[in-house]
RNA sequence: GGUCGCGUGGCCGAGUGGCUAGGCACAGCUCUGCAAAAGCUGCUACUGCGGUUCGAAUCCGCACGCGACCUCCA
């Protein structure tokens, strides 16, 4: 980018397992694809972490001046439940249980997903394509794979021939798997006689009679394989090869590995230049997952009404808590850590309010330029939000010191600090003020100011019994008074 | 069983060869009528055992502990 303080950006590419300088294919444009949710149940906090990781990446790329096309899909063709059922579509299964149309389920949980994204202040993607809306593209891709010789039909289903593909192309590169090891580790394939190899995966699946979501195809009634939608839709909206593909660590294999194979087989080139994977949110050291039953919904989180929660936490507390660890590290959820995050966020946000009221001085007692530089370096070093937040607390210290008259900053530096803090806290980290601050509600503020005046009068005549009574009663109502040199401020608890 | 990764102070969590991360908690101090808020100060760790190096939390090996994916499967 033209502004030297802003670049270059380094990100960890799963393909090389190293930090690489990010150079877009067609600057200033950047194509970003992120695997979205499967809309057959509520998203839980672990899912949110993954989407949050790429939300911040999207925000940062945008801040750096890139024109980002951010595509995040909705998987509304069912996946298998896996170890529970016998090949029944997840969405169809849910539908029968709840006596709903499949698309009703899809709509319900898509709406819920959007609500959660809004709650945690995640930006909307540029395009949010659905799998059901792209059947033609997916069928086209299956045809191209068959044509290239890497797909074969068996009994109405079409499978991807992994061993044949691996003869001429890399398979397992992304996830560090070797085809011979995969074969060695695979058990008997009984019941899967349609497949030529246990490593083969379906790219089109024949629909059983009871299956509700199905479409006509050259191979009969069926539905697309679950790796296919991302390949078809990313190709459609971002091109045959695009810049960044993100997703949770658990999608590396087989999902993303299969995506690569499909694109190479269908179109002859690798689809993605930089693969990025976010790590898992854990609870007591275990991955938060639907199958573990250790997830909670946003409602439970906010209310604290869940056995894992000692109390409720605000969405921004959660967002801040998550950003205090690096996206590539596992993060363990605990009440103690949440409460620490809650306190830290309060201090940060309080400073943001103070920031707007700073009075300039003649000299600079702090180096804002250096602070700014460190913030950019942290973000450019693989989106290191925890380090960046550490720097922001240096900013908090400066702000409060200036406010206390213990440090001075020139008007220019205050302006610069203000821009930096506001940009990083609100635009990049995507935090927002949740607490009602004084002044938001004029009637309320007027009332409280009246009490503050009464208390000041009591204090002036040394009637501390009366002044403390006023303060204590306001505290009991959730109004906290803070005495400063300029007078008394208030905030809600 | 295979592959990959992790193990940091009271808690959370950065850090990849020498330089105090940061947050929370705790203690003391300043300010204050008291409190709160804020600032300052203190608490200085890196699973164990070997090795490389002038020097290792950071590199290598082994051990122990933990996790993710795969091992059933679209």
């Amino acid at each position: 980018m033209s502004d030297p303080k802003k670049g270059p950006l380094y990100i960890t590419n799963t393909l090389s397992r190293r930090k690489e300088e990010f150079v877009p294919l067609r600057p200033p444009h950047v194509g970003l694809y992120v695997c979205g949710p499967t809309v057959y149940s509520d998203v839980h906090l672990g899912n949110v972490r993954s989407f949050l990781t790429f939300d911040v990446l999207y925000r940062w790329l945008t801040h750096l001046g890139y024109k980002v096309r951010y595509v995040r899909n909705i998987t509304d063709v069912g996946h298998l439940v896996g170890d529970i059922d016998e090949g029944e579509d997840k969405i169809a299964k849910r539908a029968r249980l709840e006596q709903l149309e499949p698309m009703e389920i899809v709509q319900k949980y898509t709406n819920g997903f959007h609500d959660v994204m809004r709650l945690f202040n995640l930006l909307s993607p540029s395009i949010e394509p659905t799998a059901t809306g792209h059947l033609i593209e997916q069928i086209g891709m299956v045809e191209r794979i068959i044509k290239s010789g890497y797909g074969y039909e068996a009994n109405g289903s079409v499978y991807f021939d992994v061993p044949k593909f691996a003869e001429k192309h890399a398979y397992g590169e992304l996830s560090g798997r070797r085809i011979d090891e995969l074969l060695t580790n695979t058990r008997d394939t009984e019941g899967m006689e349609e497949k030529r190899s246990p490593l083969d995966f379906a790219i089109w699946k024949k629909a059983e009679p009871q299956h509700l979501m199905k479409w006509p195809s050259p191979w009969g009634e069926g539905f697309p394989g679950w790796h296919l939608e991302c390949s078809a839709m990313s190709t459609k909206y971002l091109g045959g090869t695009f810049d960044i593909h993100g997703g949770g660590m658990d999608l590396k294999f087989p999902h993303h590995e299969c995506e690569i194979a499909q694109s190479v087989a269908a179109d002859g080139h690798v689809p993605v230049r930089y693969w990025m994977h976010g790590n898992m949110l854990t609870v007591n050291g275990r991955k938060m997952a639907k199958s573990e039953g250790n997830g909670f919904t946003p409602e439970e989180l906010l209310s604290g009404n869940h056995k894992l929660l000692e109390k409720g936490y605000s969405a921004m507390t959660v967002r801040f808590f998550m950003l205090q660890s690096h996206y590539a590290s596992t993060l363990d959820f605990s009440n103690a850590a949440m409460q620490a995050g809650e306190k830290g966020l309060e201090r940060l946000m309080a400073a943001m309010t103070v920031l707007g009221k700073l009075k300039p001085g003649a000299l600079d007692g702090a180096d804002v330029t250096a602070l700014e530089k460190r913030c950019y370096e942290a973000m450019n070093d693989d989106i290191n939000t925890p380090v960046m937040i550490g720097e922001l607390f240096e900013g908090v210290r400066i702000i409060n010191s200036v406010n206390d008259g213990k440090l001075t900053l020139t008007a220019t530096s205050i302006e610069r600090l203000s821009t930096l803090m506001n940009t990083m806290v609100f635009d990049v980290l995507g935090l927002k003020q949740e607490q009602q601050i004084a002044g938001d509600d004029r009637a309320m503020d007027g009332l409280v100011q009246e009490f503050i005046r009464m208390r000041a009068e009591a204090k002036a005549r040394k009637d501390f019994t009366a002044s403390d009574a006023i303060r204590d009663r306001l505290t009991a109502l959730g109004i906290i008074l803070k005495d400063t040199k300029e007078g008394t401020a208030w905030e809600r608890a």
Side-chain angles (χ1 to χ4, degrees):
Chain A
M1 299 275 87
S2 53
D3 190 341
K5 85 184 176 198
K6 289 189 172 179
L9 168 64
Y10 289 84
I11 54 178
T12 297
N13 190 345
T14 309
L15 276 172
S16 64
R17 299 178 217 312
R18 274 200 287 268
K19 284 179 196 170
E20 296 178 10
E21 183 177 348
F22 174 67
V23 181
L25 209 49
R26 298 171 204 86
H29 300 281
V30 172
L32 171 65
Y33 188 94
V34 174
C35 290
T38 305
V39 284
Y40 66 88
S41 65
D42 290 315
V43 292
H44 59 71
L45 215 57
N47 305 127
V48 172
R49 186 185 185 204
S50 182
F51 298 125
L52 172 61
T53 293
F54 297 104
D55 181 61
V56 173
L57 174 67
Y58 174 48
R59 287 167 180 271
W60 187 244
L61 288 168
T62 304
H63 175 71
L64 291 180
Y66 291 115
K67 306 241 178 298
V68 186
R69 180 175 294 168
Y70 173 26
V71 181
R72 187 184 64 205
N73 65 290
I74 295 280
T75 295
D76 55 356
V77 174
H79 290 184
L80 277 185
V81 170
D83 54 359
I84 298 171
D85 65 30
E86 296 297 320
E88 191 176 14
D89 186 301
K90 275 182 180 173
I91 288 170
K93 180 184 168 81
R94 248 336 249 240
R96 263 202 299 292
L97 287 172
E98 300 187 6
Q99 304 290 308
L100 293 168
E101 276 297 315
M103 284 312 281
E104 212 174 343
I105 294 277
V106 163
Q107 191 65 54
K108 175 182 171 187
Y109 289 111
T110 298
N111 291 347
F113 170 69
H114 287 151
D115 289 344
V116 172
M117 294 297 99
R118 257 193 302 280
L119 180 65
F120 288 95
N121 203 28
L122 277 84
L123 299 174
S124 297
S126 322
I127 301 176
E128 190 170 56
T130 61
T132 53
H134 296 76
L135 264 298
I136 289 169
E137 288 82 356
Q138 293 179 79
I139 288 170
M141 193 153 198
V142 173
E143 287 176 324
R144 295 203 298 284
I145 293 170
I146 292 173
K147 198 174 170 188
S148 70
Y150 295 116
Y152 59 90
E153 186 187 349
N155 190 30
S157 292
V158 183
Y159 294 95
F160 191 96
D161 194 331
V162 172
K164 183 175 180 186
F165 178 81
E167 283 171 18
K168 287 188 179 172
H169 305 278
Y171 181 84
E173 211 175 25
L174 181 73
S175 55
R177 272 154 229 264
R178 292 159 48 98
I179 192 106
D180 48 341
E181 283 170 354
L182 286 169
L183 281 166
T184 308
N185 291 330
T186 304
R187 294 180 191 169
D188 282 347
T189 58
E190 56 182 324
M192 288 306 297
E193 55 280 347
E194 285 177 6
K195 289 192 198 174
R196 292 179 189 165
S197 163
L199 301 185
D200 293 352
F201 55 91
I203 48 181
W204 184 266
K205 190 77 179 159
K206 178 184 180 179
E208 299 305 319
Q210 70 273 22
H211 202 95
L212 297 178
M213 290 187 112
K214 55 191 170 190
W215 294 265
S217 81
W219 317 282
E221 294 256 302
F223 53 98
W226 77 286
H227 309 304
L228 198 69
E229 60 184 67
C230 292
S231 295
M233 297 189 289
S234 64
T235 300
K236 172 161 183 171
Y237 297 113
L238 299 174
T241 300
F242 60 95
D243 295 303
I244 305 174
H245 188 131
M249 206 74 104
D250 50 351
L251 296 177
K252 251 200 291 192
F253 188 88
H255 185 57
H256 292 157
E257 205 67 73
C258 294
E259 278 188 48
I260 295 173
Q262 285 166 351
S263 286
V264 172
D267 302 319
H269 41 68
V270 294
V272 176
R273 304 181 69 214
Y274 302 88
W275 285 91
M276 291 180 75
H277 289 96
N279 217 319
M280 301 292 105
L281 180 69
T282 61
V283 177
N284 296 323
R286 302 206 152 268
K287 175 184 172 185
M288 185 180 280
K290 289 180 182 103
S291 55
E292 295 269 348
N294 60 358
F296 31 76
T297 64
E299 293 76 39
E300 290 165 335
L301 180 79
L302 297 175
S303 67
N305 187 22
H306 188 280
K307 63 180 188 300
L308 288 168
L309 299 167
E310 285 171 9
K311 52 168 280 199
Y313 303 100
S314 75
M316 284 306 111
T317 295
V318 175
R319 185 166 175 124
F320 182 74
F321 158 76
M322 289 182 174
L323 292 173
Q324 272 191 298
S325 79
H326 188 71
Y327 76 86
S329 301
T330 54
L331 171 62
D332 198 55
F333 180 92
S334 72
N335 283 279
M338 285 298 295
Q339 279 155 35
E342 188 171 54
K343 287 285 184 62
L345 178 63
E346 272 174 25
R347 195 155 78 88
L348 176 63
M349 286 308 188
M352 294 307 290
T353 306
V354 170
L355 178 57
K357 302 169 186 164
L358 294 185
K359 306 270 192 304
L363 296 168
D364 267 326
D367 191 341
V368 174
T369 307
L371 178 67
E372 183 180 59
K373 186 163 176 281
R374 291 198 301 274
C375 286
Y376 277 86
E377 281 170 354
M379 288 304 288
N380 280 330
D381 183 14
D382 203 19
I383 314 295
N384 199 328
T385 53
V387 167
M388 211 273 274
I389 288 172
E391 299 298 344
L392 292 181
F393 276 100
E394 168 68 9
V396 168
R397 215 201 85 240
I398 294 171
I399 291 166
N400 286 327
S401 292
V402 171
N403 191 47
D404 284 356
K406 290 167 181 158
L407 197 66
T408 58
L409 283 181
T410 60
T412 309
S413 290
I414 288 174
E415 176 66 32
R416 191 156 194 167
L417 180 62
S418 179
T419 302
L420 174 69
M421 294 295 291
N422 279 292
T423 299
M424 293 300 168
V425 172
F426 300 121
D427 299 346
V428 175
L429 295 181
L431 298 169
K432 59 181 183 184
Q433 295 274 14
E434 289 180 307
Q435 291 187 331
Q436 181 112 31
I437 55 171
D440 268 15
D441 182 333
R442 300 192 62 155
M444 183 67 174
D445 186 47
L447 280 171
V448 177
Q449 292 300 345
E450 200 54 45
F451 283 113
I452 287 174
R453 196 149 36 241
M454 286 165 64
R455 173 164 166 269
E457 285 166 14
K459 281 171 72 174
R461 60 174 187 269
K462 305 275 186 209
D463 185 355
F464 297 122
T465 310
S467 69
D468 287 356
I470 291 169
R471 184 178 64 198
D472 292 345
R473 284 180 190 175
L474 287 174
T475 302
L477 292 169
I479 306 293
I480 295 171
L481 300 186
K482 294 197 284 194
D483 291 338
T484 70
K485 285 193 166 54
E486 280 76 42
T488 301
W490 68 277
E491 68 181 18
R492 289 171 191 262

